[in-house]
Amino acid sequence: MVYHKTEKVLEKQQSRKRKILNAARELLAEKEMGSASIKAIAKKAGIATGTFYLYFKDKDALIDTMLKEIYKELLDLIKKERAPYTNGFDKLEATMKACINMFMSKKNLARILLDLTPQNNAVFNTKFTDIINDLIWLTKIDLDELMEQKLIPEQDTQVSATAFVGAFREVILAWINSDEPLNEEQAYRTLINFNLRGLGKS
Amino acid sequence: MVYHKTEKVLEKQQSRKRKILNAARELLAEKEMGSASIKAIAKKAGIATGTFYLYFKDKDALIDTMLKEIYKELLDLIKKERAPYTNGFDKLEATMKACINMFMSKKNLARILLDLTPQNNAVFNTKFTDIINDLIWLTKIDLDELMEQKLIPEQDTQVSATAFVGAFREVILAWINSDEPLNEEQAYRTLINFNLRGLGKS
DNA sequence: ATAAAAAATGAATACCAGTTCAATACATGT
DNA sequence: ACATGTATTGAACTGGTATTCATTTTTTAT
């Protein structure tokens, strides 16, 4: 006798995997991240703890998958928002605006992607660092282009890109963890101007 | 019968407390911070695990004390380096140079003060956030003064200060965790210029 | 030197999170 | 309906860390 999964079962399984990923996202995004235990995730996803291991090899695999997913969502949005522009500064500004909008509307995503405060998990930290480094690397590409075109002064673009991302990250995190800035417009402009001026936009 | 501690004993106890604090610093500064267990700290300090609890109420108390100490050391150095200057920009630059020098020469301090990557400890995270916020607050004071004097354009100084600290932190961390920049001088100047230009130094 | 007081010890304890697994429930094909 | 393959369950297991505490060592005062 051979057993073949029916459509209904396949769908149920996919839905469960999604539920696990969503539960993990929600729990990780909450302030007290200690709460993101397998037991808690399983409970939130509506399954038994053992069931978790039918969908993911271990906790590391879950975190890996989750971070990849979130990062992809961010990159896709950035790509879309940058598409209309060819000028380097416009592209950078579009990138920042895309990030601000995404992070402010989906604060839980932002907490996971920008805030590494509370993780004890080695894979999480490694993956996380990789993502930040990747963002810095993408920024550096833009800066090298701008420097090539003499639109910004001679500088160590690796350092500038790191500073750029660092400034951005700290501000967004402050907004997320406290309450919004009083004057959104001015705050946004201040951040964007800080970074663009920092590069030496002439 | 009444027991009074003799000088020798008091000194020995103070020295032990120091040894515990130093052991904690060294272990926390190492890459794999999971190793900073009470057992490891006690071992490094040359005492039994139980003895630790004669000197600190619990692990949280140790971390609290340690972070306060380190932060005080940093603030003292900053204060000293700023003393010669009255101009706002000079003061900011002196602050940055003091931090760069301290962090690059005492990388373990920097890892503890700037990099919260691997802690699971709630008190550590809270304390850490407090310290960063304090640094931002101190920066904001300088910026308000500069804005008052019309030396930088109108802006949300809370945001600028946050960006300033964030850029600085990210770059220093990158230097600490990888290897030094190839061209130290240019890298330092790039970072300092980024931040000063970011403010809109005219 | 001796007894009381304090400090130090480290094995035992308590606790908590990730993971396993024997038992159970459900799905499939005949 | 039945037999067999697969999925689910949750209690038990594992490993690791903070903390305690009965015992031992050291210090003090007589």
Side-chain angles (χ1 to χ4, degrees):
Chain A
M1 192 202 282
V2 195
Y3 175 105
H4 274 156
K5 288 177 189 172
T6 192
E7 261 313 300
K8 199 179 122 197
V9 168
L10 280 171
E11 271 170 30
K12 186 182 164 198
Q13 289 185 331
Q14 273 198 305
S15 138
R16 281 202 155 171
K17 192 156 189 173
R18 261 265 60 77
K19 271 185 185 165
I20 293 171
L21 282 162
N22 290 341
R25 274 196 193 190
E26 286 176 44
L27 286 173
L28 275 172
E30 281 168 16
K31 276 269 161 122
E32 296 144 33
M33 308 218 193
S35 56
S37 65
I38 298 292
K39 268 174 193 156
I41 292 170
K43 192 177 173 188
K44 189 144 202 154
I47 59 174
T49 55
T51 310
F52 171 85
Y53 291 89
L54 300 175
Y55 290 89
F56 293 94
K57 185 181 153 288
D58 52 23
K59 196 179 184 180
D60 284 353
L62 166 68
I63 287 170
D64 190 85
T65 305
M66 189 193 69
L67 284 181
K68 268 188 193 145
E69 255 190 25
I70 294 176
Y71 188 47
K72 186 169 182 315
E73 288 170 28
L74 178 64
L75 286 186
D76 286 349
L77 180 67
I78 290 175
K79 200 174 168 187
K80 188 180 140 212
E81 293 293 321
R82 282 169 65 108
Y85 301 104
T86 49
N87 173 290
F89 290 121
D90 291 344
K91 281 195 282 185
L92 276 177
E93 192 165 334
T95 304
M96 285 194 278
K97 281 186 176 164
C99 289
I100 289 176
N101 288 336
M102 179 159 184
F103 290 147
M104 297 315 280
S105 64
K106 297 186 183 178
K107 293 192 178 183
N108 56 335
L109 278 200
R111 282 218 184 81
I112 295 172
L113 263 194
L114 300 180
D115 190 1
L116 36 62
T117 305
Q119 255 3 66
N120 181 17
N121 185 293
V123 166
F124 187 99
N125 289 324
T126 307
K127 264 273 149 209
F128 181 91
T129 306
D130 288 350
I131 288 178
I132 297 289
N133 285 339
D134 204 51
L135 286 174
I136 291 172
W137 185 76
L138 289 174
T139 306
K140 182 174 183 296
I141 293 174
D142 286 341
L143 302 194
D144 284 335
E145 195 185 311
L146 284 168
M147 202 166 80
E148 179 100 10
Q149 297 166 348
K150 310 265 187 223
L151 292 171
I152 57 175
E154 202 72 16
Q155 60 195 276
D156 183 329
T157 54
Q158 177 68 34
V159 173
S160 305
T162 308
F164 190 99
V165 170
F168 194 82
R169 172 171 149 191
E170 193 86 43
V171 171
I172 298 284
L173 271 180
W175 286 344
I176 287 163
N177 286 325
S178 67
D179 296 306
E180 238 110 328
L182 304 174
N183 183 337
E184 283 194 25
E185 259 319 305
Q186 197 198 15
Y188 291 179
R189 280 256 52 92
T190 297
L191 171 59
I192 290 172
N193 284 344
F194 184 94
N195 265 348
L196 292 181
R197 274 198 308 244
L199 298 171
K201 183 183 179 183
S202 41
Chain B
M1 194 200 279
V2 196
Y3 175 103
H4 274 155
K5 288 176 190 172
T6 195
E7 261 311 300
K8 202 179 118 196
V9 169
L10 279 172
E11 272 170 30
K12 187 182 161 198
Q13 289 186 331
Q14 273 198 305
S15 137
R16 281 203 155 171
K17 192 156 189 174
R18 261 266 59 76
K19 272 185 184 164
I20 293 172
L21 282 162
N22 290 341
R25 273 197 194 189
E26 286 175 45
L27 286 173
L28 275 172
E30 282 166 16
K31 275 270 160 121
E32 296 144 33
M33 308 217 192
S35 56
S37 66
I38 297 293
K39 264 181 193 156
I41 292 169
K43 192 179 173 187
K44 189 147 202 154
I47 59 174
T49 54
T51 310
F52 171 86
Y53 290 90
L54 300 174
Y55 291 88
F56 292 94
K57 184 182 154 290
D58 52 24
K59 196 178 185 181
D60 284 353
L62 166 69
I63 287 170
D64 189 87
T65 305
M66 189 193 69
L67 284 181
K68 268 187 192 147
E69 257 191 24
I70 294 176
Y71 187 48
K72 187 172 180 312
E73 288 170 28
L74 178 64
L75 286 186
D76 287 348
L77 180 69
I78 289 175
K79 199 174 167 188
K80 188 181 140 211
E81 295 291 321
R82 283 168 64 108
Y85 302 103
T86 50
N87 173 290
F89 289 122
D90 292 342
K91 283 194 281 183
L92 276 176
E93 192 165 336
T95 304
M96 284 194 279
K97 280 185 175 164
C99 288
I100 289 176
N101 288 335
M102 180 160 183
F103 290 148
M104 296 318 279
S105 63
K106 298 186 183 179
K107 293 191 179 182
N108 55 335
L109 279 200
R111 281 220 185 79
I112 295 173
L113 262 195
L114 301 181
D115 190 0
L116 35 63
T117 305
Q119 257 1 70
N120 180 18
N121 185 293
V123 165
F124 189 99
N125 289 325
T126 306
K127 264 275 148 207
F128 181 90
T129 306
D130 287 351
I131 288 177
I132 296 289
N133 285 339
D134 204 52
L135 285 174
I136 291 172
W137 185 75
L138 289 174
T139 305
K140 182 173 183 296
I141 294 174
D142 286 342
L143 302 194
D144 284 334
E145 196 186 309
L146 285 168
M147 201 166 80
E148 180 100 9
Q149 298 166 349
K150 310 265 187 224
L151 291 170
I152 57 174
E154 202 72 15
Q155 59 194 276
D156 182 330
T157 54
Q158 176 69 35
V159 173
S160 306
T162 307
F164 191 98
V165 170
F168 194 82
R169 173 171 150 191
E170 192 86 42
V171 170
I172 298 284
L173 270 179
W175 286 344
I176 287 163
N177 286 326
S178 68
D179 296 305
E180 238 108 331
L182 303 176
N183 182 338
E184 283 195 25
E185 260 319 305
Q186 196 199 14
Y188 291 178
R189 281 256 51 93
T190 298
L191 172 58
I192 290 172
N193 285 344
F194 184 94
N195 264 348
L196 293 182
R197 272 197 309 244
L199 299 173
K201 184 183 179 182
S202 41

